[in-house]
Amino acid sequence: MSEQKYELAFYGKLVDGASLEKTKEQVALLFKTGVDQIERMFTGSRVVIRNKLDQGTAMKYIVALNKRGALCQVEEMGQP
């Protein structure tokens, strides 16, 4: 039986007290891309940042993104 896989979902929400512009800059640095590419994540709609993750890796992303101001969720793949 295969191990459960997870995806990292972002709904455009910020950690309390986080600045939108600073968060965009920090997330862009984390993913080694430009802020223009990161803008697409901040529409308020569900955006899957990464998928096919094991639970440990997904939690590492959560911690890294929370530190930068982005409030993400780990969801089981295939969930509505």
Side-chain angles (χ1 to χ4, degrees), residues 5-15 27 31 38 40-55 57-66 69-80:
K5 294 295 181 180
Y6 298 89
E7 53 194 18
L8 189 62
F10 182 62
Y11 294 87
K13 296 184 181 178
L14 302 179
V15 173
V27 172
F31 290 113
I38 296 302
R40 297 180 211 164
M41 289 173 46
F42 290 85
T43 62
S45 298
R46 182 177 187 268
V47 175
V48 175
I49 298 173
R50 294 280 192 263
N51 62 14
K52 298 180 185 174
L53 300 170
D54 61 68
Q55 190 171 21
T57 303
M59 294 313 297
K60 287 178 185 177
Y61 273 111
I62 290 286
V63 170
L65 287 159
N66 280 350
L71 191 59
C72 298
Q73 294 178 253
V74 174
E75 299 174 353
E76 288 184 13
M77 286 191 66
Q79 296 297 313

